[in-house]
Amino acid sequence: LPQRCSPYAPSSRLFLNTLYADPAAALGGDAVAHAPAELAAATRPTSLIDWSAEGARRQRLLRALHQRFRQAGSADCRQRYAAFCARRGKALRDHAVFEALHAAHVARDAISASWPQWEPGLRDPDTPDVERFAQEHAEDVEFHCFAQWLAAESLADVQNAARAAGMRVGLIADLAVGDSPDGSHAWSRQADLMPGLSIGAPPDIHNPLGQNWNLTAFSPRAMHAHGYSAFIDLLRAALSHAGGLRIDHILGMARLWLVPEGLAAGAGAYLRYPLQELLALTALEAWRHRALVIGENLGTVPEGFNRELGDRGILGMNVLWFMRREGEPAHESPTPTASGSPATEAIQPFLPAASWPVEAVAMTTTHDLPTLRGWWAERDIDLRAKLNLLGTDDDLASLRRGRGMDRALLAQALGYSAPPSQPPLADILRFVSSSPCPLLLVPMEDLAGELEQPNLPGTVDEHPNWRRRLPVSSRDCFADPEVQTRLQAMRGERGRP
């Protein structure tokens, strides 16, 4: 279902989204050139990606390439493909069978596309009915193995090019906190997961209604009983073609907020996980792959958690919006409470970048938070008000007053006497890049000066999450003089003592 385009609700964290495959990386440019013209030609770009239409077109192209591969694939390609299939083994075959089964159900009846509603004999990968289907649809199953090979070769090609160009890290992979409950992983590894529970987050200042991510969670008892093999497989798959790994919501290694099916996000509870074992395994696999690890340690952080990350050499995340001087309120903003009486909210000044903790990467923002331009323009506040995402204690006027004070405080940290009318993007990037953090991560949206953030938590269809294109190609974006100015502002501060 390509319209489910969030990278944080994958069908399986063991395998890749084949729509991103670059067939030329594995097959050579000639193979793509021989594909039907209407499939190989790119469509006219629009501001929003039509994932359903683009996904269907891309699948037709991949199937055409598979047919040609079966008929005239080179000996070298066939050898690499066979080695890939042997290396990934039963897990790859189960995933490919699931993809073929899922496609057959979608073609027949979209309502029954979710595997828990399939015929009983098809709800488990090891039944005779599933084996019979796989044999009867052997070419379809092989196609999905082939598409995974193309995607894996594509990533390997990029990482090899990055290293050859002198990049010490290259690609940093991103590990989602869970899988889709009706996806491949949940079907093929049912004993590892906990049905009827969804991962989420409790209410906080940024999401006062709490969050329900509709993702499955590993069972800590099952992990322990099977020697943590499912978790190890996950790490190895993510690190197979990367020089680093960002672990989404790494707090889940200590405890996960789980919401029973049918209840509101705030009605969940925390389940504790074996933190020491999971961190030790993460550090071991990072060492084996010569990779760095970044943990998204944002939210309600358990006491001592960041110290545990540092002890294992795992980097946290220093995000500009949260880097404040604790205990030094510069302003006080009256904020109405649920009872209607004003409370006093302390707004703390920004921490000088030189004082940011070094055991973390420096970041302007994340995909779940406003862009630099969006934060300055209060776009996130506008959207939360428009989509009824404000909490019961939120007051729109107070939120705007607070943001105005924040702008003044950030301008002060940048050396301005008063906030400029337009967001000083280059100066903000220069400020963040001047931190002593060993790595700087900046989203393309901030380099391009975009207003909208890629994802708005708490929304599914109400907001075009994960569908916006940059206004120009990546090549044209980097050639833009304003973007070049921002890049120079970042580069100028990196590596200084």
Side-chain angles (χ1 to χ4, degrees):
L1 297 175
Q3 64 270 28
R4 292 193 189 176
C5 51
S6 170
Y8 295 100
S11 176
S12 173
R13 291 177 289 174
L14 297 174
F15 296 98
L16 301 169
N17 184 339
T18 58
L19 300 184
Y20 290 102
D22 173 16
L27 304 174
D30 289 346
V32 180
H34 284 94
E38 70 276 11
L39 298 181
T43 57
R44 186 169 177 267
T46 56
S47 60
L48 295 179
I49 300 171
D50 184 342
W51 281 103
S52 294
E54 286 298 310
R57 186 188 70 83
R58 191 71 171 173
Q59 283 285 305
R60 291 194 298 272
L61 170 61
L62 295 178
R63 284 188 178 274
L65 294 173
H66 179 234
Q67 285 297 322
R68 181 171 177 79
F69 177 80
R70 285 168 59 88
Q71 298 164 6
S74 70
D76 175 64
C77 284
R78 290 179 180 277
Q79 187 176 24
R80 298 202 316 270
Y81 171 60
F84 172 79
C85 291
R87 189 164 60 250
R88 300 307 299 269
K90 184 177 185 299
L92 173 63
R93 187 174 188 273
D94 284 349
H95 178 75
V97 171
F98 174 87
E99 291 282 82
L101 271 166
H102 184 265
H105 280 84
V106 169
R108 185 171 69 240
D109 179 6
I111 296 177
S112 66
S114 179
W115 69 261
Q117 297 174 13
W118 293 352
E119 302 84 42
L122 299 178
R123 296 177 193 169
D124 186 306
D126 297 320
T127 64
D129 288 353
V130 169
E131 181 58 32
R132 189 179 306 112
F133 175 90
Q135 293 179 7
E136 293 172 354
H137 298 81
E139 186 173 332
D140 278 342
V141 173
E142 186 193 326
F143 162 70
H144 290 292
C145 292
F146 170 81
Q148 283 295 325
W149 173 65
L150 290 184
E153 289 259 320
S154 301
L155 273 183
D157 184 65
V158 175
Q159 179 65 358
N160 291 337
R163 288 287 177 84
M167 298 178 73
R168 295 173 62 189
V169 177
L171 292 176
I172 297 178
D174 205 335
L175 181 63
V177 68
D179 299 281
S180 172
D182 57 1
S184 160
H185 198 149
W187 177 76
S188 61
R189 308 285 284 263
Q190 294 175 46
D192 295 334
L193 307 171
M194 294 183 292
L197 295 172
S198 172
I199 304 171
D204 60 26
I205 187 172
H206 294 282
N207 296 282
L209 303 181
Q211 300 178 65
N212 184 336
W213 302 331
N214 294 310
L215 299 172
T216 59
F218 276 137
S219 162
R221 286 186 178 179
M223 281 198 294
H224 178 77
H226 296 99
Y228 298 93
S229 59
F231 183 70
I232 295 170
D233 289 346
L234 209 61
L235 294 171
R236 291 177 179 173
L239 286 166
S240 57
H241 302 299
L245 179 64
R246 173 194 176 276
I247 299 179
D248 190 53
H249 195 65
I250 197 171
L251 306 179
M253 290 191 184
R255 63 186 188 187
L256 273 179
W257 184 261
L258 297 178
V259 183
E261 187 174 349
L263 296 185
Y270 278 119
L271 176 66
R272 294 196 178 277
Y273 278 73
L275 176 64
Q276 302 300 327
E277 289 84 348
L278 299 182
L279 288 181
L281 289 168
T282 301
L284 175 61
E285 290 302 320
W287 177 83
R288 291 183 67 249
H289 289 83
R290 299 296 188 267
L292 60 83
V293 178
I294 303 164
E296 188 205 20
N297 57 336
L298 306 177
T300 308
V301 181
E303 185 176 355
F305 183 83
N306 288 337
R307 185 174 61 254
E308 296 278 4
L309 294 186
D311 289 346
R312 300 301 195 289
I314 297 173
L315 296 169
M317 292 168 56
N318 290 338
V319 179
L320 172 63
W321 314 132
F322 308 137
M323 303 309 293
R324 308 295 183 117
R325 290 177 172 172
E326 296 183 6
E328 295 185 39
H331 298 276
E332 291 184 346
S333 171
T335 303
T337 63
S339 63
S341 60
T344 299
E345 178 187 359
I347 299 182
Q348 298 165 324
F350 284 86
L351 186 69
S355 300
W356 287 16
V358 297
E359 303 87 1
V361 298
M363 304 179 67
T364 53
T365 190
T366 76
H367 55 263
D368 287 335
L369 295 169
T371 63
L372 293 179
R373 184 180 160 205
W375 182 88
W376 196 273
E378 303 177 11
R379 179 62 172 162
D380 55 319
I381 298 176
D382 293 340
L383 289 173
R384 287 170 60 192
K386 177 183 176 182
L387 299 175
N388 297 317
L389 296 176
L390 299 179
T392 55
D393 290 345
D394 283 336
D395 174 80
L396 186 58
S398 295
L399 289 174
R400 295 198 186 281
R401 283 196 300 272
R403 183 60 55 84
M405 294 178 185
D406 269 338
R407 277 194 300 271
L409 291 170
L410 182 55
Q412 184 182 74
L414 299 175
Y416 286 84
S417 58
S421 58
Q422 298 298 317
L425 301 184
D427 288 335
I428 297 175
L429 290 169
R430 183 179 294 107
F431 175 81
V432 175
S433 72
S434 68
S435 80
C437 300
L439 190 65
L440 169 68
L441 297 180
V442 176
M444 283 295 292
E445 287 81 4
D446 282 344
L447 282 179
E450 287 295 284
L451 180 68
E452 305 290 356
Q453 63 197 70
N455 181 57
L456 185 65
T459 64
V460 179
D461 300 321
E462 305 93 328
H463 190 69
N465 297 324
W466 309 112
R467 295 171 56 200
R468 284 193 172 87
R469 297 184 195 270
L470 289 175
V472 297
S473 69
S474 297
R475 184 183 298 274
D476 290 342
C477 180
F478 281 113
D480 183 273
E482 291 189 0
V483 174
Q484 283 292 321
T485 298
R486 293 165 195 151
L487 285 169
Q488 289 302 325
M490 292 161 47
R491 293 185 183 122
E493 297 297 332
R494 298 306 292 167
R496 291 189 178 181

